[in-house]
Structures are given as C-alpha cells and as structure tokens.
Amino acid sequence: MTLKIGICTKQDLDEAMKLRKREQYEEERKRRIFNAKQRLYGLDLDMLERQILEKKKQKSVQLECDKRFEEQEQLQKRLITAQAKELEKKQHVANSDLNYYRCRYQRKEQRREFDLNDPNYLKKARPTRVADDDITLGVSSAQIFHGEDLYNSERKVRQRQQQRAWLDQQIQERKRAEDARKTADNMLMENLGCRDKHLEEMAKSDHQMRNQVIQQVRQFNINMAKQKQMDREREKREKYEDDMAEIYNMLSSDMLTENPDVAQSRTDPNKKIAFMYRGMTPEELRNFRLGQEQQLNAAVQRKTEAQMMDKQWEQYAINMDRTLVLGHIEDERRRKAQFDELMRANAKLAVEQDQQRKDALVALSNAVSDDFYDQFNKNSR
C-alpha cells in the first residue's frame, strides 16, 4: 500500500500494514462466505439428503443386479456341471458296453487264425493212440497190447456224467450271470430315473426364476404382449378357417365316397392295394375325427388358460400402475397444498412487514431512503 504523504514514520507504516492485512483478511473471508460451494454453513440440506438417498438407491439397485447376475452365473455353472456329468456317465456306459462286447465276442480263441498261434496246441493235438481200434496204429507202433483198458465202458459212462455235470454247472453260471446283468440293468434304469427327476427339478427351479424375471419386466412388455396376443388370435382364426375349409374339402371330395372293399388284397386280408386305396372306413374315420376334436379341444383349452393367465397379469400390472399414479397424484396434491399454504403465509408475512415498515416511516420524522439499505451487506461482518 502506498501512502500519499510526504514523510512516513514507523507508526504510519505499521498502521498501513495493519490496514492492508485487515483488507486482505476481509477479501478472503468474503470469498469463503459468498462461495456456496466452499462455505461451511448455509448448506442446502434437503438437496444433500436427496442426493444421498439417490446414491443409496443406485447402490442398492446395482447390488441387486450384481446378485441376480451372480445367481444366473451359478445356475449356468450347475447346469454345465450336470451336463458334463451326464456325458461322462454316457461315455462310461458306452465304454462298458464296448468292453463287454470285446470280452464276449472278440476273444483270442474266436479268431480264425488262432490255431496257428495257440500256446496249447500240443496239449490239444491228437494223441498217438486214441483207441484200441485206431487205424493209424500199425504193427510196429507197439501201442496195442492184450489185456488193456478193461473199464472202457464204465470210463465212458463216468465221462458222460462228468460232461453233463459240467454242462449243468455252465448253465447255472450263465443263468446267474444273466440275472446279475438284469439286476445291473434295473439299477441303471433306477439311476437314470433319479437323474431325470433331478434334472426336472432343476428345470422347474429355472422355470420359476424365469417367471420371476418375466413378472418384473411385465410392465414394460404390456403393449407388446397385447400386439402379440392380437396376432396370435388372428393367426389362430386364419388357421382355424383353413383347417375347417380343408376338412370340408376332404369330406366333400370324391375319394372318401369310394368303396373301400376295392382296395382289399385277395391274397392277404390285412393288406391294402396302394393305388386303389381311397381312405378309411366310416367307423375308422369317426374315431379319427373324435381324436382330432379331442386334441383340438385340449389345445383350445390350453390356449384359453394361457390367455386368462396373461389377462390376469395384465390386469395386475394395470392395477399396480393405477395405484402408483394415484399415489403420485396424492403426493402432488399434498405438495401443492403445502406450497399454497407456504405462499399464503409468506404473503401474510409480506403484508405485515409492509405495514410495519409504513408504520415505522410514519412514526419517524425523517424518511429512510434506499441508499441507507444499500450500505449494508458490503462486507462479511
């Protein structure tokens, strides 16, 4: 600060420095007070609370979305694991069947060239002496002697009995093996039934979760659902008209009026001649029509139930929308009433303040001009 005097003493300089510091402090205080973003008092608490609530709401929505995505991911992982286990079981069954086929129908002794590589070839080879009347034995072979093989007939009987016992034992073993195989097949079918039931339960849970998601987005898809419903009804009506026209054409055609006995084969009573066959008998046609009507009624009933369910959901969504709209209107009415009450109170206070000002002006001898009020709020004090 520069002083416009000729001679400045130390006291004058100190006073000038004090004034400069006071002005600088006053400017800094003004910047702190009149800056709405930096001041520590006079804050808009309602706006801050609304911002905090909005941030908390956004955070909760984000957490809910993350939770839903995590649940969907876990469900996909479980389904993939179940499918992998199913494929592994199928591969295990296929490998077991292949090994069983190889062990039963592709053994070494069943090969055509097995006799060339048989390790027991010498054991199975024809002995030098088969019987006493073997024609391969000559005079010099020294294999036949008098007094040998006195129990030939008894030995053959015992051999036959032993062979019969072996055959019975093999039959019993084969029967036990067959029973064991049937038991294993029954256990496998039971396991497959349990697996199918588990998969069905998983599919039901998936269906329930999917229905929950559909219920949440139902409000967004109301217009689209209505349009699709109209298209389905139109397609259904057109299909029904086409079906009825086709049924009428088939009933009124000449093919159904032909004699069915002409197409009967002369050699086989259960055989029909293809190029002469004109259709079913009235009884067969009646049964066929009855089955068609039952299927059509069942399909119509299913579609009617689906339409009723869709209409109920649409009515529920409309009721929810109406409730929300009524609540919003009620809030707006209440807010407007509070605002009107505040405006009336402010108007009343303004009238009272104006009257007090007029009374003060009348009471005072000298009138206060606008310059008196303009001198205030120029500093931070």
Side-chain angles (χ1 to χ4, degrees), residues 319-331:
N319 293 333
M320 290 297 294
D321 291 340
R322 187 182 295 110
T323 303
L324 293 175
V325 170
L326 291 175
H328 182 70
I329 292 172
E330 185 66 24
D331 293 338

Side-chain angles (χ1 to χ4, degrees), residues 96-299:
S96 299
D97 294 340
L98 181 60
N99 292 329
Y100 176 75
Y101 179 80
R102 288 174 177 174
C103 294
R104 184 170 182 178
Y105 299 106
Q106 292 183 350
R107 296 194 298 269
K108 292 182 179 180
E109 57 269 17
Q110 293 178 350
R111 298 177 182 177
R112 291 181 297 180
E113 64 276 5
F114 180 73
D115 56 343
L116 300 178
N117 300 319
D118 190 2
N120 298 324
Y121 176 75
L122 296 178
K123 295 180 182 180
K124 297 178 181 179
R126 188 172 181 271
T128 305
R129 178 183 176 183
V130 178
D132 294 339
D133 56 352
D134 191 355
I135 61 174
T136 60
L137 299 177
V139 177
S140 62
S141 60
Q143 294 292 329
I144 298 175
F145 301 95
H146 296 288
E148 286 185 329
D149 200 6
L150 298 177
Y151 302 99
N152 184 23
S153 60
E154 294 178 2
R155 188 184 71 255
K156 288 183 178 180
V157 171
R158 287 196 300 272
Q159 287 177 355
R160 292 193 191 96
Q161 292 176 356
Q162 187 178 10
Q163 288 177 358
R164 188 177 296 109
W166 289 348
L167 290 174
D168 294 338
Q169 184 179 0
Q170 291 177 1
I171 291 171
Q172 293 296 329
E173 291 178 355
R174 184 171 296 179
K175 186 176 180 181
R176 286 194 296 271
E178 188 68 22
D179 294 338
R181 186 183 64 80
K182 289 181 179 179
T183 304
D185 291 339
N186 294 330
M187 293 179 64
L188 178 62
M189 293 303 294
E190 291 178 358
N191 293 330
L192 291 176
C194 294
R195 181 204 61 190
D196 295 336
K197 184 177 180 181
H198 180 65
L199 291 177
E200 185 178 357
E201 291 177 356
M202 291 178 64
K204 286 182 180 179
S205 63
D206 188 15
H207 184 66
Q208 292 177 359
M209 293 180 66
R210 197 169 296 170
N211 287 333
Q212 292 178 1
V213 175
I214 291 173
Q215 290 174 6
Q216 293 178 0
V217 300
R218 177 69 65 183
Q219 183 178 359
F220 178 77
N221 295 330
I222 288 177
N223 296 327
M224 186 179 296
K226 289 181 179 179
Q227 185 65 29
K228 288 184 178 180
Q229 184 64 27
M230 292 174 64
D231 293 339
R232 285 197 295 267
E233 292 178 355
R234 179 174 53 79
E235 293 176 359
K236 177 184 174 183
R237 186 171 58 256
E238 292 176 355
K239 186 177 181 300
Y240 179 77
E241 292 175 357
D242 295 339
D243 293 340
M244 294 302 296
E246 183 179 0
I247 292 170
Y248 177 77
N249 292 330
M250 291 295 294
L251 290 175
S252 60
S253 63
D254 296 334
M255 182 183 65
L256 299 178
T257 60
E258 293 290 338
N259 186 8
D261 296 334
V262 178
Q264 186 66 38
S265 177
R266 298 295 184 270
T267 59
D268 190 358
N270 296 324
K271 184 178 181 182
K272 301 290 185 180
I273 301 175
F275 66 92
M276 297 182 67
Y277 182 66
R278 297 301 181 183
M280 296 180 289
T281 61
E283 184 66 25
E284 293 176 348
L285 186 61
R286 190 179 303 107
N287 295 330
F288 180 74
R289 297 301 180 191
L290 182 60
Q292 280 187 337
E293 290 178 358
Q294 292 177 357
Q295 292 179 359
L296 182 61
N297 292 330

